[in-house]
Amino acid sequence: MSVKASAVTYTEHGKDFQNVLQLTEFTVDPSQLKPNQILLKTLATPINPADLGQIVGGYNDPKPHYLDGKPVHIGGNEGLYKVIHLGSDVKNYNVGDWVIPKLPSFGTWRNYALVTVEENDTTPLIVVSNDDDALTLEQAATISINPSTAYQILNQFIKDWSEDGNDWVIQNSGNSQVSKYVSQFAKLKNVKTISVIRDGKSDEVIKELYDLGATKVIFESQLTADDFSSKVLPDIIGEKGRVRLALNGVSGPTVPHLFKSLSENGILVTYGIISGSTITYDARLQFSKNLTTAGFWLTKNTLRSPQFKVDTIHELLKLYKEGKVIDPSFTKVPFKEGDNLLRTFLESIGASSKGKQVIVYE
Amino acid sequence: MITAQAVVYSQHGEPKDVLKTQTYEIDDENLASNQIVVKTLGAPVNPSDINQIQGVYPSKPEKTTELGTSEPSAPCGNEGLFEVIKVGSGVSDFKVGDWAIPANVNFGTWRTHALASEEQFIQVPNPEQSKTRGKPNGLTINQGATISVNPLTAYLMLTHYVKLIPGKDWFIQNGGNSAVGKYAIQISKLLGFNSLSVIRDRPNLDELVSELKALGADQVITEEQNASKEFGATIKSWVKETGGEIKLALNCIGGKNSTGIARKLANNGLMLTYGGMSFQPVILPTSLHIFKNITSSGFWVTQLLKNNEDLKKSTLNQIVDWYEDGKLRDAKSIETKFEAGGEKQLHELYIEGVTNSSKGKQLITF
């Protein structure tokens, strides 16, 4: 019996999501599955800022999908699926497995997905759970991007974190999902974090950041004040403290101050993509303190080495199973069979500015 | 006893306000076994020397009363060429008549003589030694006195970080007309790399372009061309012709200029910032970091060589070789000779040197 499925798609770029995004309906017939195909039912798909950036255009163009013969781009890069049917030749997967796509630009915003296992890549999906109790749906749905980014960013640029409690990370957008994971993973290594947040954020927000493992939470105006690097910062990190990594997720006026906070040989890593943004910093500080600036892009890392992504997910799964990761909160948006998927997404995109939205499929 | 003089300061400030000449005695009859006595042949004025005196440079010499000053004072100057005039009984690396340069910065080179232990100096060949080794040229005093900062900076930036493929790959630099810029042009030619140098537009542009091309520059462009999107196509065609990539950018200016040269880098390229003359911040589009995986690092020759004597020696040998073989031209300095007991005291001469630095590099010879 064939299944009626739908996807949120686009054929042209633009920021007017109401007009750019379309509903594309297609059918899948489990009885017609080819020997090398897998049918997935969607469990959850988050909306990430990078997904929206991709639709607006200006960076990596996903390759088109052919749904009922029509070439379209499907929105989304992150999603959790359940294997519901397997072609006769498919190895490596079992019906019931919870899986996430291995590569970016899978096009995750759809309620069913048909995946073809190619000869040159027999594992297009990463199994995150084959026992529904091991990992919660929330954890599995959002493991692919933010926790992976935080995990890799902490380990890629500094390989020799000291466990003596004197190594520090400073991060702007301290209230972002990535920053919340950074604080947690850093704490597991006894690395301290300073999370910088916008002025005026509530005590509740600050408390959540401390609960998640931030060592110190400060406002942007404290970071940009004249006495920050000469007085406030030394008081926070102590005499032996070293700020080895600064993470820039938003760019803007905090960046030169993040840079200035770095100790000798430190590195400023920019990972947030805001089109047209620049970073600025003092050239003299750069050579006198031997400071480096670099970029991080999970997509690029994954394309360069898909196995690296798989290894990262496996490391994260271990941490989750040991109960060492707290999930930052997000809003669950239910999608029921028969709902209009496009409408669900447009409403959730509209609400994204208030916090992370994850569509959960019943 | 040798009566020596050194330029010192006890307080940071403008050189004209704080520099003094300190006269002191060196007991050359009672050297410890590892000590040497040197006399100065030449010591230049570098921008970093001035910044040290002003107290705005990240590294500075300690203030002591070693030279007999009433207040703790620091000696000035970081580069210089010296001749060994006396050696202690256990000294093996030097003999009288050898030329030598300080092994590290902050030695205080603006002086007539110095007493030091032999590890504080590195030998460079004097002209006679070069001749004995069959070399066509010996080092000039200017070459020896200015060897340890600019030529080393240029050589190490071109070789120590990114592997440029001779004949194919390119580097781009702003400050193409600076001393380091000119060394980078020549050294890249000697190593077979292609150079793209950015200079300020000026009335006598053609003259300067020909001068840089005579030194070995492959392409020279103006800041306007550096900032122009349209001109990018021309640069791409140059690079395409050699079948390589622009893998390295050298920045000593900052501002839009740094943005311009960073934009020319190929994926995974590196920008090294080694100076901040303009005091303008470096500005980088985040897209270069994220999508092109560009890295931007600092380069400071002092720091790199501080704990790496082998690298310093091997680099120095290479530069000395090129000078001896006549393959590398030194940046000319304006030379002024110091006469002991003359009209001007040593610190007065250096204060003039600081003032005249805007006209070109000043070298005091002895």
Side-chain angles (χ1 to χ4, degrees):
Chain A
M1 195 192 84
S2 66
V3 180
K4 264 193 85 176
S6 48
V8 176
T9 63
Y10 58 100
T11 49
E12 301 205 343
H13 292 294
K15 57 183 164 199
D16 178 10
F17 298 124
Q18 296 279 353
N19 286 320
V20 169
L21 293 179
Q22 296 156 351
L23 187 71
T24 301
E25 298 192 305
F26 58 104
T27 52
V28 280
D29 187 347
S31 65
Q32 301 291 311
L33 223 55
K34 290 180 189 153
N36 64 340
Q37 285 186 321
I38 307 172
L39 183 60
L40 304 176
K41 182 181 184 316
T42 313
L43 297 175
T45 52
I47 297 171
N48 287 306
D51 301 330
L52 303 180
Q54 204 172 37
I55 298 163
V56 171
Y59 61 108
N60 73 318
D61 251 341
K63 59 174 193 288
H65 288 80
Y66 290 84
L67 299 178
D68 281 352
K70 279 185 291 180
V72 289
H73 295 306
I74 304 176
N77 293 274
E78 190 172 38
L80 175 67
Y81 302 85
K82 189 172 182 170
V83 175
I84 56 170
H85 282 282
L86 286 174
S88 54
D89 287 353
V90 175
K91 313 207 167 48
N92 302 322
Y93 301 100
N94 295 303
V95 170
D97 282 353
W98 283 12
V99 295
I100 60 173
K102 181 168 67 179
L103 298 178
S105 297
F106 180 83
T108 56
W109 295 354
R110 42 179 158 164
N111 63 345
Y112 288 92
L114 193 59
V115 175
T116 303
V117 178
E118 307 286 353
E119 263 174 37
N120 59 5
D121 183 7
T122 57
T123 56
L125 303 164
I126 305 174
V127 178
V128 291
S129 177
N130 40 28
D131 162 6
D132 289 9
D133 290 327
L135 204 64
T136 66
L137 182 114
E138 286 83 352
Q139 290 170 334
T142 56
I143 197 172
S144 181
I145 295 189
N146 291 335
S148 296
T149 296
Y151 188 86
Q152 290 188 5
I153 228 169
L154 267 178
N155 293 298
Q156 177 172 336
F157 300 95
I158 311 267
K159 312 262 189 213
D160 60 338
W161 288 110
S162 151
E163 290 176 0
D164 65 6
N166 288 317
D167 283 358
W168 288 75
V169 177
I170 188 165
Q171 52 184 349
N172 63 15
S173 62
N175 191 29
S176 71
Q177 298 276 333
V178 170
S179 299
K180 289 173 182 173
Y181 287 110
V182 165
S183 297
Q184 295 188 60
F185 299 151
K187 196 175 181 188
L188 294 174
K189 297 169 170 290
N190 200 24
V191 170
K192 309 278 179 67
T193 45
I194 300 173
S195 293
V196 184
I197 57 172
R198 289 231 175 89
D199 287 55
K201 289 278 179 201
S202 68
D203 290 351
E204 211 177 311
V205 167
I206 295 170
K207 184 174 179 303
E208 189 203 356
L209 298 183
Y210 279 120
D211 288 347
L212 287 174
T215 316
K216 184 82 188 168
V217 180
I218 61 169
F219 289 121
E220 285 184 359
S221 61
Q222 289 173 278
L223 173 72
T224 57
D226 285 343
D227 65 347
F228 183 75
S229 57
S230 61
K231 176 150 192 332
V232 178
L233 181 65
D235 283 350
I236 294 173
I237 65 173
E239 212 171 286
K240 288 189 179 157
R242 297 187 292 177
V243 182
R244 301 186 66 190
L245 183 64
L247 299 180
N248 168 35
V250 286
S251 296
T254 56
V255 174
H257 301 275
L258 285 184
F259 190 75
K260 203 173 172 187
S261 308
L262 285 167
S263 304
E264 227 166 87
N265 307 319
I267 176 162
L268 170 80
V269 176
T270 294
Y271 65 92
I273 302 161
I274 298 173
S275 94
S277 65
T278 58
I279 58 166
T280 62
Y281 56 84
D282 184 342
R284 293 159 67 93
L285 270 181
Q286 177 159 51
F287 68 86
S288 65
K289 286 167 84 176
N290 192 33
L291 305 180
T292 297
T293 69
F296 175 88
W297 190 21
L298 183 68
T299 299
K300 190 79 138 242
N301 275 0
T302 306
L303 293 176
R304 195 184 295 134
S305 167
Q307 188 56 40
F308 183 45
K309 177 65 180 284
V310 175
D311 294 344
T312 301
I313 296 292
H314 288 160
E315 289 298 319
L316 290 169
L317 288 174
K318 257 192 253 167
L319 296 178
Y320 276 109
K321 284 176 183 166
E322 289 166 11
K324 287 183 173 163
V325 190
I326 310 165
D327 307 306
S329 57
F330 53 76
T331 306
K332 275 196 260 181
V333 182
F335 172 82
K336 287 192 272 312
E337 205 80 29
D339 283 357
N340 182 317
L341 189 64
L342 177 61
R343 195 169 311 136
T344 305
F345 266 91
L346 286 174
E347 281 168 16
S348 300
I349 290 169
S352 280
S353 57
K354 291 185 215 128
K356 181 159 174 149
Q357 310 282 312
V358 178
I359 318 292
V360 179
Y361 301 73
E362 287 180 4
Chain B
M1 282 290 174
I2 295 169
T3 302
Q5 293 182 13
V7 181
V8 301
Y9 59 92
S10 57
Q11 304 288 332
H12 291 296
E14 284 311 308
K16 66 178 173 35
D17 303 324
V18 298
L19 295 188
K20 286 178 208 143
T21 296
Q22 174 69 16
T23 302
Y24 60 102
E25 304 273 298
I26 293 174
D27 182 358
D28 60 335
E29 301 300 327
N30 294 294
L31 295 183
S33 65
N34 69 336
Q35 282 184 320
I36 60 176
V37 178
V38 296
K39 78 167 185 186
T40 315
L41 298 175
V45 178
N46 282 313
S48 56
D49 302 331
I50 302 171
N51 292 342
Q52 265 182 352
I53 297 163
Q54 293 164 331
V56 297
Y57 201 67
S59 125
K60 41 185 166 285
E62 250 180 85
K63 289 177 188 160
T64 69
T65 52
E66 231 168 69
L67 300 179
T69 50
S70 52
E71 285 173 81
S73 299
C76 304
N78 292 282
E79 259 190 330
L81 178 67
F82 299 83
E83 182 181 333
V84 177
I85 56 171
K86 205 113 190 197
V87 297
S89 58
V91 170
S92 54
D93 287 351
F94 292 97
K95 54 188 188 308
V96 170
D98 281 353
W99 281 10
I101 61 171
N104 287 303
V105 291
N106 298 338
F107 180 79
T109 54
W110 296 358
R111 56 167 107 202
T112 59
H113 301 81
L115 172 68
S117 60
E118 63 174 324
E119 313 81 63
Q120 287 178 283
F121 278 90
I122 295 176
Q123 199 217 331
V124 293
N126 66 28
E128 213 164 298
Q129 289 161 343
S130 298
K131 205 170 151 195
T132 314
R133 289 196 352 265
K135 293 287 186 179
N137 303 290
L139 288 186
T140 64
I141 289 179
N142 184 56
Q143 286 169 344
T146 60
I147 201 169
S148 55
V149 178
N150 290 341
L152 264 56
T153 295
Y155 181 84
L156 288 168
M157 289 196 298
L158 287 173
T159 57
H160 194 64
Y161 299 88
V162 173
K163 206 166 164 40
L164 298 175
I165 302 169
K168 288 189 166 181
D169 285 337
W170 291 70
F171 81 97
I172 182 168
Q173 62 173 348
N174 56 29
N177 188 36
S178 69
V180 172
K182 286 177 178 170
Y183 284 114
I185 285 170
Q186 296 183 74
I187 290 170
S188 84
K189 177 98 323 194
L190 287 164
L191 297 173
F193 310 146
N194 298 300
S195 65
L196 172 53
S197 299
V198 183
I199 56 174
R200 266 198 326 269
D201 201 1
R202 58 194 80 212
N204 60 342
L205 181 69
D206 291 347
E207 214 173 288
L208 179 57
V209 172
S210 333
E211 186 200 328
L212 296 181
K213 289 207 165 166
L215 283 178
D218 291 292
Q219 296 294 350
V220 180
I221 63 173
T222 62
E223 290 185 353
E224 288 70 27
Q225 289 169 327
N226 184 36
S228 148
K229 265 195 183 151
E230 293 73 47
F231 196 75
T234 308
I235 295 173
K236 280 200 181 117
S237 72
W238 292 337
V239 175
K240 200 173 167 201
E241 219 166 275
T242 66
E245 289 183 323
I246 305 180
K247 288 184 177 156
L248 178 68
L250 308 180
N251 168 44
C252 65
I253 294 181
K256 281 194 185 135
N257 215 312
S258 57
T259 318
I261 63 170
R263 278 192 199 281
K264 310 288 182 295
L265 283 168
N267 284 349
N268 308 313
L270 173 73
M271 178 158 86
L272 290 172
T273 290
Y274 65 97
M277 293 310 158
S278 68
F279 291 91
Q280 290 183 59
V282 176
I283 306 172
L284 288 179
T286 53
S287 59
L288 293 184
H289 272 329
I290 294 172
F291 299 131
K292 292 181 79 181
N293 197 31
I294 303 296
T295 303
S296 154
S297 295
F299 179 88
W300 189 16
V301 71
T302 306
Q303 201 61 26
L304 176 66
L305 296 178
K306 204 172 181 178
N307 300 308
N308 203 338
E309 204 179 323
D310 289 347
L311 183 62
K312 177 154 188 177
K313 282 188 175 157
S314 63
T315 309
L316 269 174
N317 285 341
Q318 177 63 76
I319 303 294
V320 167
D321 258 2
W322 280 330
Y323 275 142
E324 289 178 326
D325 291 336
K327 290 181 176 167
L328 185 64
R329 260 188 268 171
D330 51 332
K332 290 284 169 266
S333 305
I334 299 163
E335 299 187 17
T336 309
K337 199 169 167 76
F338 170 70
E339 309 276 0
E343 211 169 281
K344 283 182 185 136
Q345 292 201 63
L346 188 57
H347 74 280
E348 292 171 330
L349 221 50
Y350 271 101
I351 288 170
E352 282 182 13
V354 170
T355 311
N356 293 333
S357 280
S358 55
K359 295 180 204 150
K361 184 152 175 158
Q362 304 291 314
L363 177 72
I364 310 295
T365 59
F366 295 78

